[in-house]
Structure formats: structure tokens, C-alpha cells
Amino acid sequence: MKHFVSMKHLTAGELLQLVQLATDIQVQGVSGYREQLFAANLFFEPSTRTKMSFTVAERKLGLEVLDFAAEASSVTKGETVYDTAKTLQSIGASVLVIRHPEEQTAAMLAEKLDIPVINAGDGKGEHPTQCLLDLMTIYQEYGRFKDLKIVIAGDIRHSRVARSNAMALRKLGAHVFAAGKPEWMDETLGIPVLSMDDAVEQCDVMMLLRIQFERHESKGEASGYLEQYGLTKAREQKMQQHAIIMHPAPVNRGIEIDDSLVEAPRSRIFRQMENGVAARMAVIITLLEGWGIKHGYNLNKREAVNS
């Protein structure tokens, strides 16, 4: 694996191997690289969880972090994203992490740079490392993906998380459904739509999404959304006993989900954040291995988890 920019390039076997590696890292820990390596984190959009999670993952692996703030960079002088990325490669970055509001930015850089590129979210495109930590969370809960009923609910049309997750989960044999406001559904994903009331009764995993007003052409109102399309306490009580709640965060408490459910016993929202560090460490190790930079962790001796 040379880059990590989209779930569409990965097979089910590769996804399961990454889930296993992330799980091993979380349970056993890993040592850092002995040689000096640098990670460049280029975030052109605000981020708390993803950026900090990458920073912690990189530092745990012994990488030195080249932090980047778009507002204080040569981007303000007209420098292109490619030139900024090429500059960081030229001064010694070994891996580049990028979040950008425009789709396909990470893919463009992956074609042009000579270091591994990781997509940390591109517009409404994809968010593959969020997807990997979501897979890890589901596998920890059920020990499989095959035949699980997973509902992705909310602002699907504007969600890069929904796109990556729908793609990956179907590869792994899960039954994926959508739920939410009709005008926010996305037919291009090719997943059946349920009403929110049917979804809560049938799902093994209720995967909620944030309403991304910043990506809407017209600013809507959130008033009444929770009652019509969100996870209320009444709907939560209709979920199966074993079913779990997920959300990539940041959470709009009281909009997508009732405030009291964010930290409810069946919520795995903060588990997802915890898993993000190990998932990103697994991606970095695998990519650097693919570019001939050995960590010492024997990737060939691992047994992949089953779907």
C-alpha cells in the first residue's frame, strides 16, 4: 500500500489486516522508529479530533511532527497546495497527512509526490482513517462485519464519512442502510433508505452523522430535526438490547442525538476517538513499510481478522 486516500482501492482482506494491526497496536503497543522521520500535517480545515489523533499517533511512533497552519503559511501568498506539499517533501517529510475542503486533493498529491499521502478528509469525498477507526470499533463489539445491519443516519449527502463507511462496510459483508431527511439522502451510494423509526428497531449499529451546515448551499434551521430525524430517547428505547450508537463527532448535542445519549451505556462515541490513535498508527506503519521504511513490526506474521 503506497497511499491511503480512499476506501475504494482496498480489498476486504486489506481492510481486515488494518483492523487487526490497529487492534494489536492498541493491545500490545509498539516501539517507535529508530531513525529520524518527519510527518507533515497539512490541515486546511478546522479539526480537533483528527488532527490531534494524528499528532498523538505520529509521536507514539517516534515521528517528529511538522505542524502547518494555512493562515500562517505561504498559501496566503498564493502558493498552491501542491507546491506546499512538495516543499514539505523536499525538506524531509516522510509522510504527508492532508485535510482539504476540495475533493480529490489527497488523490492529486498521491499521484505527484514521492512520499506516502494520507487523506484526513477531502470535502464531501472521503475520510478513510475515520472509516478505519469505525471498523475497528464495530469489530471490537461484534467480532465480525458479515450480516450486521448498520444504519448511517443524518446528513449523508454532505458526508465524507458516510461515503467511506458505506463502501468499506459493504465490502466486508455488512448490510448498510441510510436514514434521515429525504433531501439529504445520496442515491449515488446505492444503499436502501429506512425511516428513522424502522432503522432504530432493526439496526445493530446506529451510525449518526453531524449536520454539515457549512457545506449546504442554503443555511437551514435545526429546529425540530431531533424529533423528526434524530436519535431521541424514545427511539433509543426501541433499539435492540445489543445495538450500539456511533458518531464521528463533533456532536451537535440535542440536534442529531439527545444530549443524554452521547455518553449512554450503548454509546461508543468516545471509544471511536480512542481507537483513532491506533488506527492511524496502523496506517502509518503500513504505508512506510510499503515505501521500504521498516518498523520492525512483522506485518507478514499477522493473521487477519475474519469478516
Side-chain angles (χ1 to χ4, degrees):
M1 193 166 72
K2 293 291 189 180
H3 304 281
F4 196 72
V5 299
S6 170
M7 283 300 174
K8 66 185 175 186
H9 302 306
L10 299 178
T11 66
E14 289 172 326
L15 291 171
L16 294 171
Q17 284 189 340
L18 282 168
V19 170
Q20 182 65 68
L21 177 55
T23 303
D24 288 351
I25 287 170
Q26 192 173 62
V27 173
Q28 303 170 17
V30 291
S31 58
Y33 286 90
R34 292 185 178 179
E35 60 186 297
Q36 187 178 44
L37 299 171
F38 294 93
N41 295 337
L42 276 69
F43 279 69
F44 289 84
E45 283 185 334
S47 172
T48 301
R49 272 150 294 277
T50 303
K51 186 175 182 181
M52 293 302 106
S53 181
F54 267 109
T55 299
V56 172
E58 291 155 357
R59 289 182 174 166
K60 283 194 168 194
L61 288 172
L63 276 66
E64 298 187 42
V65 179
L66 303 176
D67 211 356
F68 169 86
E71 66 277 10
S73 74
S74 292
V75 170
T76 60
K77 303 174 184 174
E79 185 173 70
T80 66
V81 176
Y82 168 71
D83 283 333
T84 300
K86 187 72 175 178
T87 297
L88 288 162
Q89 175 190 301
S90 300
I91 63 176
S94 305
V95 59
L96 185 137
V97 178
I98 180 153
R99 167 170 290 194
H100 199 274
E102 294 182 11
E103 296 173 31
Q104 299 297 316
T105 302
M108 177 273 289
L109 294 178
E111 290 181 0
K112 295 182 176 181
L113 297 183
D114 297 319
I115 54 175
V117 174
I118 301 173
N119 181 3
D122 60 337
K124 296 181 289 184
E126 286 203 52
H127 197 347
T129 59
Q130 175 68 42
C131 178
L132 182 60
L133 72 88
D134 289 343
L135 297 181
M136 186 180 171
T137 305
I138 294 169
Y139 194 82
Q140 286 173 341
E141 197 70 30
Y142 294 106
R144 64 183 173 87
F145 298 98
K146 188 173 177 55
D147 294 333
L148 289 178
K149 290 185 177 179
I150 298 174
V151 174
I152 304 174
D155 189 1
I156 292 173
R157 174 165 294 181
H158 302 95
S159 173
R160 51 199 174 206
V161 176
R163 201 167 311 283
S164 291
N165 279 344
M167 208 179 306
L169 286 164
R170 286 189 296 179
K171 284 185 184 181
L172 294 168
H175 301 295
V176 183
F177 302 89
K181 202 171 183 177
E183 52 265 47
W184 292 348
M185 297 296 99
D186 187 344
E187 294 178 355
T188 66
L189 296 184
I191 54 178
V193 177
L194 299 174
S195 71
M196 195 61 182
D197 290 306
D198 288 341
V200 292
E201 294 179 358
Q202 298 180 31
C203 70
D204 298 299
V205 177
M206 174 55 68
M207 186 179 288
L208 300 166
L209 301 172
R210 182 177 66 88
I211 302 175
Q212 301 193 38
F213 287 120
E214 73 275 18
R215 302 192 195 283
H216 293 190
E217 292 181 3
S218 60
K219 305 300 180 188
E221 292 289 336
S223 177
Y225 181 87
L226 178 65
E227 289 72 23
Q228 290 188 68
Y229 305 108
L231 188 61
T232 60
K233 288 191 283 187
R235 288 194 177 107
E236 186 269 342
Q237 289 173 6
K238 295 179 180 177
M239 292 175 70
Q240 301 181 76
Q241 190 172 4
H242 67 270
I244 61 172
I245 299 166
M246 296 174 62
H247 192 306
V251 175
N252 291 317
R253 291 177 182 250
I255 297 178
E256 300 104 26
I257 181 171
D258 187 276
D259 184 22
S260 66
L261 299 177
V262 174
E263 295 169 70
R266 67 165 86 238
S267 170
R268 299 294 180 269
I269 296 172
F270 289 93
R271 171 71 65 82
Q272 291 173 263
M273 297 176 201
E274 177 185 344
N275 287 344
V277 173
R280 287 165 177 129
M281 290 171 74
V283 171
I284 292 169
I285 288 176
T286 303
L287 288 177
L288 291 176
E289 183 86 12
W291 286 77
I293 301 174
K294 305 295 182 185
H295 175 267
Y297 190 91
N298 193 335
L299 297 176
N300 296 324
K301 285 189 175 180
R302 288 177 297 111
E303 294 182 4
V305 297
N306 298 313
S307 61

